[in-house]
Structure formats: structure tokens, C-alpha cells
Amino acid sequence: MKRILIIGIGAGDPDHLTLQAVKAIARTDVFFVLDKGEAKHDLVQLRHDLVDAHARPPYRIVEAGDPARDRTTPDYAPAVEDWRSRRADVCERFIRDELAEGQTGAFLVWGDPGLYDSTLAIVEEIHQRGSVRFEHEVIPGVSSVSALTARHRVSLTRVARPVHVTTGRRLAEEGPSADDVVVMLDAHCAFADLGADFDIYWGAYVGTPDEILVAGPVPEVADRIRELRAEARARKGWIMDTYLLRRVSR
């Protein structure tokens, strides 16, 4: 039986790799990588570096281009589902054609596979198709949320208060849905219009040499975050950011 490992590798710092992930990398025969292009070469390079550091020869790395997502359509959910299915086509070929019976293949997932990542859903879709037989296992990783709160030295939770994890798109449509809200990849800075009763703990490229951190009352730091975000995205060609909104009493 073929075996697939979905390994969380942390938010960008090579030291985020857990001992469980190190052991999983060491027992992998073939590593599968979806290349997002030159602009996001850093994302691929970290995977190569971790494999070089922890894999045991002989092993192979197999790469293919990541299908592009349609970012022009207003129908966001169907566009994402279509994109995931086309990614599943590529990953299915990986498992079918590049992995022999009895071998172990692995996808190295940025952050944690269970939080804001499509790899687990893609592998489950391939499994349900039934065209290739395999077992799969998930190795948790340090998420961008855990890395963010650690770098800002704050707790994610407060006593008797819920935490809501959402997207910038939903925050713009619905506003804050709890006193503590984690927002992933907010391209339009939906937090900027919130009042002084919210503090923000924002971070981009957390755990990498390009890390940027800003914290403070939203009205005082919103413009600074906008400027830093625009500058960083223009410089690198992409940005990966996360933030925690926290309602406070002044």
C-alpha cells in the first residue's frame, strides 16, 4: 500500500519543525512540491532546505506547476473549488505515477495542515475518487496563528471568551463576530475602519527573515500596516499575513 504524509512545517522558521515532522521527513521516499512560480520561490526553497537537512537518501523530489486560480470572478467559493480540483488532478498524478507500492510520499505544508490550507482537502478528494489506493497521515505543524501570538507575546484566548477564525473577505462583509478574531490573508485591510475599541496584532512573513510585526489600537496603526503591507508585497511579489483583533476597554 502507498502511504502519503501531509507534514506541517511551520510558519517559515526552519526551527518550527517538530520532532514528529523531522521523523516523518526521514521516512519519506518521494517529496511532492507544487511550484507557485519565481515570485514565490521562497516557499519552495524552504521545503528543499528542510528535505536537505532531514531526509534520508535515497529520496526524490518531484515538482509540478501549481494551477492558477481565477481571481477575477466574483464567485469566490466556486473558483476555489475548481482550483482545488485542478490541484487534485496534479497531486493524483504524483501519487499514481511517481510513487511505487510500499513507498511513502509527502507533501510539506506551510504552517499547519488543518488551518487555512487546501492540501488535506485535496488528498481526501483524491482518496474519494478511488483511482489510486493509498493511506494517509497528517503531521501537525506550528501554524501562522501560533507563531503570530508568540512573536507578539500575547495569548490567543481569554477567559470565557470565544475566538473566531475568519478571512479578510468575511470580516469586510460581516464585521467582527467576536471579541477576539483571527483574520487570515486580508488583501484589502478590512480592519482599517474599526474603532478604537479594537487592538490589532499584525504580522507578515512571520518566522522568516522578512518578518514584519505591528501592534496597537487600530486607528493608530492602520495606516502604518497598509503602508508596510503594500511595500512588502511590491518588493517580494507576494505577502502572507495574519492578525489578531482584540476588543478592549479603554
Side-chain angles (χ1 to χ4, degrees), residues 9-13 16-18 110-116 140-157 163 165 182-184 201-203 205-207 211 213 241-244:
I9 60 172
D13 187 335
H16 285 170
L17 206 65
T18 67
W110 202 267
D112 180 83
L115 181 63
Y116 212 85
V142 176
S143 72
S144 62
V145 178
S146 297
L148 176 79
T149 55
R151 294 293 292 131
H152 279 292
R153 301 188 297 274
V154 296
S155 173
L156 177 61
T157 58
V163 175
V165 180
V182 173
V183 183
M184 315 290 288
Y201 299 88
W202 177 84
Y205 316 112
V206 177
E211 178 180 274
L213 299 171
D241 62 338
T242 307
Y243 58 85
L244 169 66

Side-chain angles (χ1 to χ4, degrees), residues 213-224:
L213 299 171
V214 177
V218 168
E220 296 180 16
V221 299
D223 288 344
R224 179 61 176 155

Side-chain angles (χ1 to χ4, degrees), residues 220-240:
E220 296 180 16
V221 299
D223 288 344
R224 179 61 176 155
I225 293 173
R226 276 179 170 148
E227 292 171 3
L228 288 170
R229 194 181 194 284
E231 290 170 0
R233 195 181 193 290
R235 181 178 69 253
K236 288 185 66 68
W238 62 279
I239 189 166
M240 187 180 295

